Amino acid sequence: MNIIRLALAGVMLTAMTACSSAGNSSMKNVTVADIDRNVRDGVTTSAQVRQLYGEPAATSYDNGNEVWNYEFVSDRPDGLSMAQDAVGLGFLGTKDSMRSNALELTFRNGIVVHHSFTTKNIGSGSGLRR
């Protein structure tokens, strides 16, 4: 019986560290201070941005200016949600938190003319755990 409890505890601990992520990993732990230190409107070049953050996730054009977008999103269910699923109580609902970092840069002639960085933290729930 102790072996079963130990195994269940191990599965639950492993599950508690589970999360999913998507996007540019160089944006994962970036802060506003990092962006402001590394990107200066009118000074920073597209080559410097590419060296810092890699290839953009999306590129578009606006009024003749090139616009680059970088994003990183991570989603993590809470420990109780995973434990409920492990013991067959997933129908009670779930709770999870999502965090995203997004950087948008506008270039004119290869120089940043404007940049913006946003961070969002969103919590959501379903069923009885809303």
Side-chain angles (χ1 to χ4, degrees), residues 9 15 20 27 32 38 52 65 70 76 81 92 94 120 127 129:
S20 63
M27 299 302 298
V32 161
N38 293 324
L52 287 166
N65 297 318
Y70 293 87
R76 182 182 178 118
S81 295
L92 293 175
T94 62
K120 294 180 187 173
R129 301 203 50 224

Side-chain angles (χ1 to χ4, degrees), residues 97-108:
S97 59
M98 183 179 81
R99 184 174 146 254
S100 72
N101 289 338
L103 174 63
E104 181 178 281
L105 303 117
T106 303
F107 296 91
R108 182 177 304 127

